[in-house]
Amino acid sequence: MYLCIMIFYFSGTGNTRWAAKILADKLGEQLTYIPNMTEKDCRFSLEKGERLGFVLPVHGWRPPLMVRKFIQELVIEGDIDYTYVLWTAGDSIGKATEILTGDLQKRGIELYSAFSLIMPEAYVGLPFMDVDPQEKEIAKKQKAEKNLNDFIKDIEGKEKGVAKTVKGPIPAFFSGPVGGFFVKHLITDKPFHVESERCVKCGICADVCPVNDIIGGLGKEPQWKHNGTCLSCFTCYHHCPHHAIEYGNRTRKKGQYFFGRIHK
Ligand SMILES: Cc1cc2nc3c(=O)[nH]c(=O)nc-3n(C[C@H](O)[C@H](O)[C@H](O)COP(=O)(O)O)c2cc1C
Ligand code: SF4
Ligand code: SF4
């Protein structure tokens, strides 16, 4: 059982980690990284007046699958008087908040407010998707920093009924059938492979994978486990210093991004 003031977060390429750390610093709260939680660790206790926060990226206009599985096991004991979610997304969150609300309600947790930050794009797994150009990346980060400071005031004051999010067009369609297709067909490590002539066996890809889906890496070419754990977060792809990881043919000549990456 954990006793602490709590922010649960997930992050692959670092956008959400950046936001979660600022939030935790300003609120004096503790961060819990969801991939580090095992089934046995899902029972938490809150003191009266403590906030419960979820800081998450949007995956396919929905909460990431691994986060949804974590919530299925989550038990919060004590009084919860304020729960919020802060999303990061490349452009729109669709009905991710409504889906999270439903998942939390099944655990007896009410979600009071939702916020979203538009951050640099991490998804490159479809032919028409690539990372943002550098100017757009910088502009998104600058705006996100301003918005985050505004959101923190609401969260600090436990403002209820706030929905400062960007849902985008036809949110029910994107979070519904399109999101369903995304989960069924596009969350997979099957297309990942390494271009041997570019791989220097540094091990970075395996180190950064949030779910340990990569065997080898250091001293040995990486191999993906194909065991259903991959989140298609592309963190391995983005961190490879030699762009040696490809996703089928869909990432050829595409850019790489992670929060804090220095542009060459
Ligand atoms: C698998 C996957 C699915 C994504 N789906 C969406 C989406 O539906 N809408 C959106 O605006 N951005 C989407 N993105 C972009 C991310 O939400 C965005 O880049 C986020 O800030 C990444 O967070 P992270 O760096 O903490 O992992 C997606 C990214 C990935 C990797
Ligand atoms: S990060 Fe790139 S170069 Fe390093 S082991 Fe992985 S694939 Fe090879
Ligand atoms: S294998 Fe790559 S894409 Fe899959 S979860 Fe790990 S880092 Fe993310």
Side-chain angles (χ1 to χ4, degrees), residues 84-133:
Y84 64 93
V85 60
L86 171 65
W87 302 104
T88 74
D91 52 40
S92 58
I93 69 160
K95 290 202 149 212
T97 304
E98 286 80 350
I99 294 169
L100 184 71
T101 299
D103 288 353
L104 289 172
Q105 267 169 358
K106 286 184 193 142
R107 311 304 298 158
I109 301 166
E110 192 169 344
L111 186 68
Y112 291 102
S113 286
F115 307 86
S116 72
L117 296 171
I118 303 307
M119 291 292 287
E121 183 57 67
Y123 189 72
V124 290
L126 283 169
F128 51 89
M129 298 209 61
D130 201 347
V131 298
D132 292 320

Short mmCIF file of all heavy atoms in Angstrom, two decimals, residues 84-133:
data_model
loop_
_atom_site.label_atom_id
_atom_site.label_comp_id
_atom_site.label_asym_id
_atom_site.label_seq_id
_atom_site.Cartn_x
_atom_site.Cartn_y
_atom_site.Cartn_z
N TYR A 84 -8.10 14.86 -11.52
CA TYR A 84 -8.00 15.57 -12.81
C TYR A 84 -7.13 14.76 -13.77
O TYR A 84 -6.40 13.87 -13.35
CB TYR A 84 -7.38 16.97 -12.61
CG TYR A 84 -5.95 16.91 -12.11
CD1 TYR A 84 -4.88 16.91 -13.00
CD2 TYR A 84 -5.68 16.78 -10.75
CE1 TYR A 84 -3.58 16.82 -12.55
CE2 TYR A 84 -4.38 16.69 -10.29
CZ TYR A 84 -3.33 16.71 -11.20
OH TYR A 84 -2.05 16.60 -10.75
N VAL A 85 -7.24 15.11 -15.07
CA VAL A 85 -6.33 14.54 -16.05
C VAL A 85 -5.70 15.67 -16.85
O VAL A 85 -6.38 16.65 -17.19
CB VAL A 85 -7.03 13.53 -16.99
CG1 VAL A 85 -8.17 14.18 -17.78
CG2 VAL A 85 -6.04 12.89 -17.96
N LEU A 86 -4.42 15.53 -17.12
CA LEU A 86 -3.73 16.44 -18.03
C LEU A 86 -3.19 15.59 -19.18
O LEU A 86 -2.37 14.70 -18.98
CB LEU A 86 -2.57 17.14 -17.29
CG LEU A 86 -1.61 17.95 -18.17
CD1 LEU A 86 -2.30 19.15 -18.81
CD2 LEU A 86 -0.42 18.44 -17.35
N TRP A 87 -3.72 15.85 -20.40
CA TRP A 87 -3.27 15.11 -21.57
C TRP A 87 -2.17 15.86 -22.29
O TRP A 87 -2.14 17.08 -22.28
CB TRP A 87 -4.43 14.97 -22.59
CG TRP A 87 -5.66 14.31 -22.10
CD1 TRP A 87 -6.84 14.91 -21.77
CD2 TRP A 87 -5.88 12.90 -21.92
NE1 TRP A 87 -7.77 13.96 -21.38
CE2 TRP A 87 -7.21 12.72 -21.46
CE3 TRP A 87 -5.07 11.76 -22.08
CZ2 TRP A 87 -7.75 11.48 -21.18
CZ3 TRP A 87 -5.61 10.52 -21.80
CH2 TRP A 87 -6.92 10.38 -21.36
N THR A 88 -1.31 15.11 -22.98
CA THR A 88 -0.51 15.72 -24.04
C THR A 88 -0.90 15.02 -25.34
O THR A 88 -1.19 13.82 -25.35
CB THR A 88 1.02 15.62 -23.82
OG1 THR A 88 1.44 14.28 -24.08
CG2 THR A 88 1.44 16.06 -22.43
N ALA A 89 -0.92 15.80 -26.43
CA ALA A 89 -1.34 15.24 -27.73
C ALA A 89 -0.67 16.05 -28.83
O ALA A 89 -0.31 17.21 -28.63
CB ALA A 89 -2.86 15.34 -27.86
N GLY A 90 -0.54 15.42 -30.00
CA GLY A 90 0.04 16.12 -31.14
C GLY A 90 -0.89 17.19 -31.69
O GLY A 90 -0.47 18.26 -32.10
N ASP A 91 -2.19 16.90 -31.70
CA ASP A 91 -3.14 17.93 -32.13
C ASP A 91 -4.51 17.86 -31.48
O ASP A 91 -5.13 18.88 -31.22
CB ASP A 91 -3.28 17.98 -33.67
CG ASP A 91 -3.58 16.62 -34.27
OD1 ASP A 91 -4.37 15.87 -33.68
OD2 ASP A 91 -3.02 16.31 -35.34
N SER A 92 -5.04 16.66 -31.19
CA SER A 92 -6.39 16.61 -30.62
C SER A 92 -6.59 15.34 -29.80
O SER A 92 -6.01 14.30 -30.12
CB SER A 92 -7.44 16.66 -31.74
OG SER A 92 -7.23 15.58 -32.62
N ILE A 93 -7.46 15.44 -28.80
CA ILE A 93 -7.63 14.30 -27.88
C ILE A 93 -8.92 13.51 -28.13
O ILE A 93 -9.14 12.48 -27.52
CB ILE A 93 -7.56 14.74 -26.41
CG1 ILE A 93 -8.80 15.58 -26.04
CG2 ILE A 93 -6.28 15.50 -26.11
CD1 ILE A 93 -9.03 15.64 -24.54
N GLY A 94 -9.80 14.04 -29.02
CA GLY A 94 -11.07 13.35 -29.25
C GLY A 94 -11.84 13.20 -27.95
O GLY A 94 -11.91 14.14 -27.14
N LYS A 95 -12.36 12.01 -27.72
CA LYS A 95 -13.15 11.77 -26.51
C LYS A 95 -12.34 11.00 -25.46
O LYS A 95 -12.89 10.20 -24.68
CB LYS A 95 -14.43 11.01 -26.86
CG LYS A 95 -15.42 11.87 -27.62
CD LYS A 95 -16.82 11.33 -27.49
CE LYS A 95 -17.81 12.46 -27.54
NZ LYS A 95 -18.99 12.24 -26.74
N ALA A 96 -11.03 11.22 -25.45
CA ALA A 96 -10.18 10.50 -24.49
C ALA A 96 -10.63 10.74 -23.04
O ALA A 96 -10.62 9.82 -22.22
CB ALA A 96 -8.72 10.93 -24.67
N THR A 97 -11.06 11.97 -22.75
CA THR A 97 -11.48 12.27 -21.36
C THR A 97 -12.72 11.44 -20.99
O THR A 97 -12.80 10.90 -19.88
CB THR A 97 -11.79 13.77 -21.21
OG1 THR A 97 -10.63 14.51 -21.60
CG2 THR A 97 -12.16 14.12 -19.78
N GLU A 98 -13.66 11.35 -21.94
CA GLU A 98 -14.88 10.59 -21.65
C GLU A 98 -14.54 9.11 -21.41
O GLU A 98 -15.12 8.45 -20.55
CB GLU A 98 -15.88 10.71 -22.81
CG GLU A 98 -16.57 12.08 -22.90
CD GLU A 98 -15.71 13.16 -23.57
OE1 GLU A 98 -14.51 12.94 -23.80
OE2 GLU A 98 -16.25 14.24 -23.83
N ILE A 99 -13.60 8.60 -22.19
CA ILE A 99 -13.21 7.18 -22.02
C ILE A 99 -12.54 6.98 -20.66
O ILE A 99 -12.85 6.04 -19.93
CB ILE A 99 -12.29 6.74 -23.18
CG1 ILE A 99 -13.08 6.77 -24.50
CG2 ILE A 99 -11.70 5.34 -22.92
CD1 ILE A 99 -12.22 6.60 -25.74
N LEU A 100 -11.67 7.90 -20.31
CA LEU A 100 -11.01 7.81 -19.00
C LEU A 100 -12.02 7.94 -17.87
O LEU A 100 -11.96 7.21 -16.87
CB LEU A 100 -9.93 8.90 -18.89
CG LEU A 100 -9.10 8.86 -17.61
CD1 LEU A 100 -8.15 7.66 -17.59
CD2 LEU A 100 -8.27 10.14 -17.44
N THR A 101 -12.98 8.86 -18.05
CA THR A 101 -14.03 9.03 -17.03
C THR A 101 -14.74 7.71 -16.78
O THR A 101 -14.95 7.31 -15.62
CB THR A 101 -15.05 10.10 -17.50
OG1 THR A 101 -14.35 11.33 -17.68
CG2 THR A 101 -16.17 10.30 -16.49
N GLY A 102 -15.09 7.01 -17.88
CA GLY A 102 -15.78 5.71 -17.74
C GLY A 102 -14.90 4.69 -17.04
O GLY A 102 -15.37 3.96 -16.15
N ASP A 103 -13.62 4.63 -17.43
CA ASP A 103 -12.70 3.67 -16.80
C ASP A 103 -12.58 3.94 -15.30
O ASP A 103 -12.57 3.01 -14.48
CB ASP A 103 -11.31 3.75 -17.44
CG ASP A 103 -11.28 3.18 -18.85
OD1 ASP A 103 -12.31 2.61 -19.28
OD2 ASP A 103 -10.24 3.31 -19.53
N LEU A 104 -12.49 5.22 -14.93
CA LEU A 104 -12.31 5.56 -13.51
C LEU A 104 -13.59 5.32 -12.72
O LEU A 104 -13.54 4.85 -11.57
CB LEU A 104 -11.87 7.03 -13.38
CG LEU A 104 -10.43 7.33 -13.83
CD1 LEU A 104 -10.16 8.84 -13.84
CD2 LEU A 104 -9.40 6.63 -12.93
N GLN A 105 -14.73 5.61 -13.37
CA GLN A 105 -16.00 5.38 -12.66
C GLN A 105 -16.16 3.92 -12.25
O GLN A 105 -16.66 3.62 -11.17
CB GLN A 105 -17.18 5.81 -13.55
CG GLN A 105 -17.59 7.25 -13.30
CD GLN A 105 -18.55 7.80 -14.33
OE1 GLN A 105 -18.91 7.11 -15.29
NE2 GLN A 105 -18.97 9.04 -14.13
N LYS A 106 -15.67 3.02 -13.11
CA LYS A 106 -15.76 1.60 -12.76
C LYS A 106 -14.96 1.28 -11.50
O LYS A 106 -15.17 0.26 -10.85
CB LYS A 106 -15.24 0.75 -13.92
CG LYS A 106 -16.21 0.71 -15.08
CD LYS A 106 -15.73 -0.22 -16.18
CE LYS A 106 -16.55 0.02 -17.43
NZ LYS A 106 -15.81 -0.05 -18.66
N ARG A 107 -13.99 2.14 -11.17
CA ARG A 107 -13.20 1.94 -9.95
C ARG A 107 -13.70 2.84 -8.82
O ARG A 107 -12.99 3.05 -7.82
CB ARG A 107 -11.70 2.24 -10.20
CG ARG A 107 -11.12 1.59 -11.42
CD ARG A 107 -11.30 0.08 -11.43
NE ARG A 107 -10.62 -0.57 -10.32
CZ ARG A 107 -10.94 -1.77 -9.84
NH1 ARG A 107 -11.95 -2.44 -10.37
NH2 ARG A 107 -10.26 -2.31 -8.85
N GLY A 108 -14.85 3.48 -9.04
CA GLY A 108 -15.43 4.35 -8.01
C GLY A 108 -14.74 5.70 -7.90
O GLY A 108 -14.83 6.37 -6.87
N ILE A 109 -14.06 6.11 -8.96
CA ILE A 109 -13.33 7.39 -8.92
C ILE A 109 -13.98 8.37 -9.90
O ILE A 109 -14.15 8.05 -11.07
CB ILE A 109 -11.84 7.18 -9.31
CG1 ILE A 109 -11.17 6.18 -8.37
CG2 ILE A 109 -11.09 8.51 -9.33
CD1 ILE A 109 -9.83 5.66 -8.87
N GLU A 110 -14.30 9.56 -9.40
CA GLU A 110 -14.90 10.56 -10.29
C GLU A 110 -13.82 11.50 -10.81
O GLU A 110 -12.95 11.94 -10.05
CB GLU A 110 -15.95 11.35 -9.50
CG GLU A 110 -16.80 12.20 -10.42
CD GLU A 110 -18.01 12.80 -9.71
OE1 GLU A 110 -18.36 12.32 -8.61
OE2 GLU A 110 -18.57 13.76 -10.26
N LEU A 111 -13.90 11.79 -12.10
CA LEU A 111 -12.94 12.72 -12.71
C LEU A 111 -13.60 14.10 -12.78
O LEU A 111 -14.68 14.23 -13.33
CB LEU A 111 -12.58 12.23 -14.13
CG LEU A 111 -11.48 12.98 -14.86
CD1 LEU A 111 -10.12 12.77 -14.20
CD2 LEU A 111 -11.40 12.54 -16.32
N TYR A 112 -12.93 15.12 -12.22
CA TYR A 112 -13.57 16.44 -12.13
C TYR A 112 -13.16 17.41 -13.21
O TYR A 112 -13.95 18.26 -13.62
CB TYR A 112 -13.28 17.06 -10.75
CG TYR A 112 -13.98 16.35 -9.63
CD1 TYR A 112 -13.30 15.46 -8.81
CD2 TYR A 112 -15.34 16.54 -9.41
CE1 TYR A 112 -13.94 14.79 -7.79
CE2 TYR A 112 -16.00 15.87 -8.40
CZ TYR A 112 -15.30 14.99 -7.58
OH TYR A 112 -15.95 14.33 -6.59
N SER A 113 -11.92 17.35 -13.67
CA SER A 113 -11.47 18.36 -14.63
C SER A 113 -10.46 17.76 -15.60
O SER A 113 -9.77 16.80 -15.27
CB SER A 113 -10.84 19.55 -13.90
OG SER A 113 -11.86 20.31 -13.28
N ALA A 114 -10.40 18.35 -16.79
CA ALA A 114 -9.49 17.83 -17.82
C ALA A 114 -8.80 18.99 -18.55
O ALA A 114 -9.40 20.04 -18.80
CB ALA A 114 -10.27 16.97 -18.81
N PHE A 115 -7.55 18.75 -18.89
CA PHE A 115 -6.72 19.77 -19.54
C PHE A 115 -5.94 19.07 -20.66
O PHE A 115 -5.62 17.89 -20.54
CB PHE A 115 -5.73 20.36 -18.54
CG PHE A 115 -6.37 20.86 -17.27
CD1 PHE A 115 -6.61 19.99 -16.21
CD2 PHE A 115 -6.78 22.18 -17.16
CE1 PHE A 115 -7.23 20.43 -15.04
CE2 PHE A 115 -7.41 22.64 -16.00
CZ PHE A 115 -7.63 21.76 -14.94
N SER A 116 -5.62 19.82 -21.73
CA SER A 116 -4.72 19.20 -22.71
C SER A 116 -3.69 20.20 -23.21
O SER A 116 -3.96 21.39 -23.36
CB SER A 116 -5.50 18.59 -23.89
OG SER A 116 -6.03 19.57 -24.73
N LEU A 117 -2.50 19.67 -23.44
CA LEU A 117 -1.39 20.45 -24.00
C LEU A 117 -1.09 19.89 -25.38
O LEU A 117 -0.97 18.66 -25.54
CB LEU A 117 -0.13 20.28 -23.13
CG LEU A 117 -0.20 20.80 -21.70
CD1 LEU A 117 1.05 20.35 -20.93
CD2 LEU A 117 -0.29 22.33 -21.69
N ILE A 118 -0.96 20.75 -26.37
CA ILE A 118 -0.57 20.31 -27.71
C ILE A 118 0.96 20.33 -27.77
O ILE A 118 1.59 21.37 -27.56
CB ILE A 118 -1.20 21.22 -28.79
CG1 ILE A 118 -2.72 21.23 -28.64
CG2 ILE A 118 -0.79 20.74 -30.19
CD1 ILE A 118 -3.40 19.87 -28.61
N MET A 119 1.51 19.16 -28.01
CA MET A 119 2.97 18.98 -27.92
C MET A 119 3.50 18.38 -29.23
O MET A 119 2.73 17.93 -30.07
CB MET A 119 3.28 18.01 -26.76
CG MET A 119 2.98 18.56 -25.37
SD MET A 119 4.08 19.90 -24.91
CE MET A 119 5.62 19.06 -24.60
N PRO A 120 4.82 18.35 -29.40
CA PRO A 120 5.37 17.78 -30.64
C PRO A 120 4.90 16.35 -30.90
O PRO A 120 4.72 15.56 -29.98
CB PRO A 120 6.88 17.85 -30.39
CG PRO A 120 7.04 19.01 -29.46
CD PRO A 120 5.85 18.96 -28.55
N GLU A 121 4.70 16.05 -32.17
CA GLU A 121 4.16 14.76 -32.62
C GLU A 121 5.20 13.65 -32.42
O GLU A 121 6.36 13.80 -32.79
CB GLU A 121 3.76 14.87 -34.10
CG GLU A 121 3.12 13.64 -34.68
CD GLU A 121 1.87 13.19 -33.92
OE1 GLU A 121 0.85 13.91 -33.92
OE2 GLU A 121 1.94 12.11 -33.30
N ALA A 122 4.73 12.52 -31.87
CA ALA A 122 5.63 11.37 -31.67
C ALA A 122 5.27 10.21 -32.59
O ALA A 122 6.08 9.30 -32.79
CB ALA A 122 5.56 10.92 -30.21
N TYR A 123 4.05 10.22 -33.15
CA TYR A 123 3.60 9.05 -33.92
C TYR A 123 4.04 9.16 -35.38
O TYR A 123 3.72 10.13 -36.07
CB TYR A 123 2.08 8.89 -33.84
CG TYR A 123 1.66 7.58 -34.46
CD1 TYR A 123 1.93 6.38 -33.78
CD2 TYR A 123 1.08 7.52 -35.71
CE1 TYR A 123 1.60 5.16 -34.36
CE2 TYR A 123 0.75 6.30 -36.29
CZ TYR A 123 1.03 5.13 -35.60
OH TYR A 123 0.72 3.92 -36.17
N VAL A 124 4.77 8.15 -35.85
CA VAL A 124 5.28 8.16 -37.23
C VAL A 124 4.94 6.84 -37.94
O VAL A 124 5.54 6.52 -38.97
CB VAL A 124 6.82 8.38 -37.25
CG1 VAL A 124 7.18 9.80 -36.83
CG2 VAL A 124 7.55 7.36 -36.36
N GLY A 125 3.98 6.10 -37.39
CA GLY A 125 3.71 4.74 -37.88
C GLY A 125 2.78 4.64 -39.07
O GLY A 125 2.48 3.54 -39.52
N LEU A 126 2.29 5.76 -39.59
CA LEU A 126 1.46 5.73 -40.80
C LEU A 126 2.16 6.54 -41.89
O LEU A 126 2.90 7.48 -41.59
CB LEU A 126 0.07 6.32 -40.49
CG LEU A 126 -0.87 5.40 -39.71
CD1 LEU A 126 -2.10 6.16 -39.22
CD2 LEU A 126 -1.29 4.18 -40.55
N PRO A 127 1.88 6.19 -43.15
CA PRO A 127 2.63 6.82 -44.24
C PRO A 127 2.56 8.35 -44.26
O PRO A 127 3.51 9.01 -44.60
CB PRO A 127 1.96 6.25 -45.51
CG PRO A 127 1.25 5.02 -45.07
CD PRO A 127 0.93 5.18 -43.61
N PHE A 128 1.41 8.91 -43.84
CA PHE A 128 1.26 10.36 -43.92
C PHE A 128 1.64 11.07 -42.63
O PHE A 128 1.39 12.26 -42.47
CB PHE A 128 -0.20 10.71 -44.31
CG PHE A 128 -1.21 10.02 -43.43
CD1 PHE A 128 -1.65 10.60 -42.25
CD2 PHE A 128 -1.69 8.74 -43.77
CE1 PHE A 128 -2.56 9.95 -41.44
CE2 PHE A 128 -2.62 8.10 -42.96
CZ PHE A 128 -3.05 8.70 -41.79
N MET A 129 2.25 10.36 -41.69
CA MET A 129 2.57 11.00 -40.41
C MET A 129 4.07 11.08 -40.18
O MET A 129 4.80 10.11 -40.37
CB MET A 129 1.91 10.25 -39.27
CG MET A 129 0.40 10.28 -39.42
SD MET A 129 -0.46 10.19 -37.88
CE MET A 129 0.10 11.64 -37.04
N ASP A 130 4.51 12.26 -39.75
CA ASP A 130 5.94 12.46 -39.47
C ASP A 130 6.06 13.39 -38.26
O ASP A 130 5.06 13.96 -37.80
CB ASP A 130 6.61 13.10 -40.72
CG ASP A 130 8.11 12.88 -40.74
OD1 ASP A 130 8.68 12.47 -39.70
OD2 ASP A 130 8.73 13.13 -41.79
N VAL A 131 7.28 13.57 -37.78
CA VAL A 131 7.49 14.51 -36.67
C VAL A 131 7.25 15.93 -37.18
O VAL A 131 7.25 16.17 -38.39
CB VAL A 131 8.93 14.39 -36.08
CG1 VAL A 131 9.16 13.00 -35.50
CG2 VAL A 131 9.99 14.74 -37.12
N ASP A 132 7.05 16.85 -36.25
CA ASP A 132 6.82 18.24 -36.65
C ASP A 132 8.11 18.88 -37.14
O ASP A 132 9.20 18.56 -36.63
CB ASP A 132 6.32 19.04 -35.44
CG ASP A 132 4.92 18.61 -35.00
OD1 ASP A 132 4.08 18.35 -35.88
OD2 ASP A 132 4.69 18.53 -33.78
N PRO A 133 8.00 19.84 -38.09
CA PRO A 133 9.19 20.63 -38.42
C PRO A 133 9.65 21.38 -37.17
O PRO A 133 8.85 21.66 -36.26
CB PRO A 133 8.68 21.61 -39.47
CG PRO A 133 7.31 21.18 -39.86
CD PRO A 133 6.80 20.25 -38.80
#
